[in-house]
Amino acid sequence: MQAHQLLACACDPARTRGRRHSEEPAPTRSEYQRDRDRIVHSTAFRRLVYKTQVFLNHEGDLFRTRLTHSLEVAQLGRSIARSLRINEDLVEAISLAHDLGHTPFGHAGQDALNACMADHGGFEHNLQSLRVVDALELRYPQFDGLNLTFETREGILKHCSRSNAEALEALEPAGVGQRFLLRHQPSLEAQLCNLADEIAYNAHDIDDGVRSGLITLEQLRELPLFERHRAQALAEFPQLDAPRGQRRLLYDAIRRMLSAQVYDVIGATQAALAQARPASVDEVRGMPALVGFGEEMRAQSQALKRFLFHNLYRHAQVVQTTDHARQVVRELFAGYLADPQAMKPAFAERCQVQADLAGRARVVADFIAGMTDRYAVREHERMTGRRFPG
């Protein structure tokens, strides 16, 4: 349990809205600590180590993966949560689970799988992450999934279309889909995870982009958010201006930039909470988002996102690799849909009991979404006889 007193509007594990299947409380852990432990021990969590963040798994050992990204989100989230006096354990659980449903090959894989599923309900990785923890993990004799608390599941479902929210609401009235129909916010802890996710990937994508050679320190000087902290690092440590000091200069500028964003979120959120004065989690849900940057930092963060989009995510080298990745996903989907027996037995058996094409397509999407980059590449080579470039 946290040592400091939680805010009245923070999520208290003693007042959780519970699990879908009733369980006795754990004797030594809170409900959110129990969620975190189940996530860490899940198969889907282990697979994140071989799933792309920006650079595909075979492109280098030191680039971020979905696993290291999730750990960085959890670290940032916990640091901010402690200062805000909201529930660190819940923030950690949501952070570690938020990418469990991500496909191989990052957003390229998700886009390709969504296109394949266009006539069968589409594919969205946030919804797939919920699907993983609610149904696809098979570890317990009493239920499918991990049977996480409502609050953790609410935080995992970051985005949801109205049609998907209506489908969730039909299956689970007043459940995790309801807030999208009411246009409500999630808990403070979930709001914080959304922002920690953004802070983490902006920072580590700068690092990985420079390491890859696709962006340079000179290009980054165009960004006020980065340049201010690069200049501060250089003023304090002028020796970093030498060629051998460039890597340390980059690290120190990113470290300072992260600290500035963290302090800004804490200050802006404390001010928003002082003004709104929510007395409970339910009041938080009915208010506009309370966790966020101040106005200036928000603008600088958006400028950084635009820079990374144009200079890294849309770099010709990245696009070429992700085009190949999309092709792998498309051909795997078509192959498995035509021959479900080519999948692992458990998925082939699930396909056999589906009465319609949409049901079979969803099983195929579940199988592909669960793959690591390298397993998808091996499967594609086995099915087509063609080797993935690179």
Side-chain angles (χ1 to χ4, degrees):
M1 193 64 68
Q2 297 186 165
H4 58 282
Q5 183 67 38
L6 290 173
L7 294 178
C9 57
C11 287
D12 183 348
R15 297 198 298 269
T16 173
R17 285 173 59 172
R19 305 176 187 276
R20 295 198 300 167
H21 304 277
S22 180
E23 295 185 67
E24 289 295 317
T28 59
R29 296 171 295 168
S30 76
E31 296 300 321
Y32 304 144
Q33 288 172 330
R34 196 179 195 183
D35 282 357
R36 175 205 59 206
D37 296 347
R38 289 182 176 187
I39 291 159
V40 167
H41 287 281
S42 68
T43 303
F45 185 74
R46 292 197 299 278
R47 287 181 180 140
L48 296 180
V49 72
Y50 294 118
K51 289 197 177 190
T52 287
Q53 183 64 28
V54 173
F55 297 95
L56 302 190
N57 184 250
H58 69 270
E59 293 184 278
D61 292 338
L62 297 180
F63 295 125
R64 266 66 170 197
T65 66
R66 288 285 160 189
L67 180 63
T68 56
H69 165 69
S70 297
L71 294 173
E72 291 183 30
V73 174
Q75 179 269 315
L76 283 167
R78 285 202 72 133
S79 296
I80 298 170
R82 178 170 287 266
S83 292
L84 293 177
R85 292 169 48 217
I86 62 178
N87 199 291
E88 292 178 52
D89 296 324
L90 177 57
V91 168
E92 184 176 32
I94 297 169
S95 298
L96 295 176
H98 82 282
D99 270 350
L100 291 181
H102 228 299
T103 60
F105 312 127
H107 286 283
Q110 173 182 286
D111 292 345
L113 195 51
N114 184 43
C116 292
M117 290 292 292
D119 296 330
H120 313 296
F123 179 89
E124 209 288 318
H125 85 265
N126 285 125
L127 189 61
Q128 188 70 12
S129 294
L130 183 69
R131 190 167 165 78
V132 166
V133 301
D134 279 358
L136 298 180
E137 281 286 327
L138 303 177
R139 308 182 65 83
Y140 300 96
Q142 312 98 306
F143 44 76
D144 291 342
L146 302 180
N147 198 33
L148 304 181
T149 61
F150 172 88
E151 293 79 15
T152 300
R153 295 171 61 239
E154 172 190 51
I156 290 171
L157 194 60
K158 180 178 176 180
H159 306 295
C160 191
S161 68
R162 185 168 187 88
S163 60
N164 284 330
E166 288 170 348
L168 288 171
E169 182 67 9
L171 291 171
E172 182 187 0
V176 294
Q178 186 181 58
R179 77 175 181 88
F180 297 97
L181 303 176
L182 299 177
R183 299 184 181 278
H184 281 181
Q185 297 294 328
S187 67
L188 294 174
E189 289 80 0
Q191 292 179 39
L192 173 55
C193 288
N194 292 345
L195 197 56
D197 184 26
E198 177 183 326
I199 294 170
Y201 68 65
N202 277 345
H204 63 51
D205 288 354
I206 288 175
D207 185 15
D208 285 352
V210 173
R211 180 183 294 278
S212 71
L214 301 187
I215 56 177
T216 66
L217 276 170
E218 282 304 308
Q219 284 178 289
L220 289 166
R221 294 190 63 179
E222 303 168 13
L223 295 166
L225 180 58
F226 180 84
E227 173 57 14
R228 180 170 72 253
H229 300 293
R230 188 203 67 86
Q232 288 174 357
L234 206 53
E236 189 171 348
F237 303 103
Q239 70 272 23
L240 298 183
D241 202 25
R244 292 180 61 183
Q246 295 297 288
R247 173 57 59 179
R248 293 191 194 215
L249 177 60
L250 175 67
Y251 287 155
D252 202 52
I254 292 173
R255 178 186 63 79
R256 291 166 186 261
M257 186 180 76
L258 279 170
S259 294
Q261 290 176 292
V262 165
Y263 300 145
D264 186 89
V265 170
I266 292 169
T269 303
Q270 286 174 335
L273 288 168
Q275 183 173 3
R277 301 177 66 183
S280 68
V281 181
D282 286 337
E283 285 192 18
V284 166
R285 292 189 174 106
M287 293 177 172
L290 296 171
V291 179
F293 288 126
E295 194 171 321
E296 181 181 356
M297 184 63 78
R298 186 183 306 113
Q300 292 183 356
S301 177
Q302 289 298 318
L304 174 53
K305 288 174 74 171
R306 289 192 297 271
F307 171 88
L308 289 169
F309 180 84
H310 292 295
N311 293 281
L312 182 61
Y313 310 144
R314 289 294 178 265
H315 191 285
Q317 184 175 318
V318 173
V319 169
Q320 181 182 29
T321 309
T322 54
D323 283 347
H324 290 310
R326 288 187 182 93
Q327 183 179 356
V328 167
V329 171
R330 288 194 300 267
E331 293 181 357
L332 284 174
F333 184 87
Y336 291 136
L337 198 58
D339 180 16
Q341 296 304 312
M343 294 188 292
K344 286 185 176 180
F347 288 88
E349 290 168 11
R350 281 179 55 201
C351 255
Q352 286 181 331
V353 301
Q354 297 298 322
D356 57 14
L357 179 60
R360 293 192 294 276
R362 183 60 60 188
V363 175
V364 171
D366 286 341
F367 185 50
I368 293 173
M371 292 180 175
T372 62
D373 290 15
R374 62 184 187 176
Y375 182 77
V377 168
R378 286 202 304 266
E379 277 290 280
H380 182 261
E381 186 176 348
R382 179 183 68 80
M383 293 174 70
T384 68
R386 300 199 309 275
R387 184 176 292 275
F388 188 88

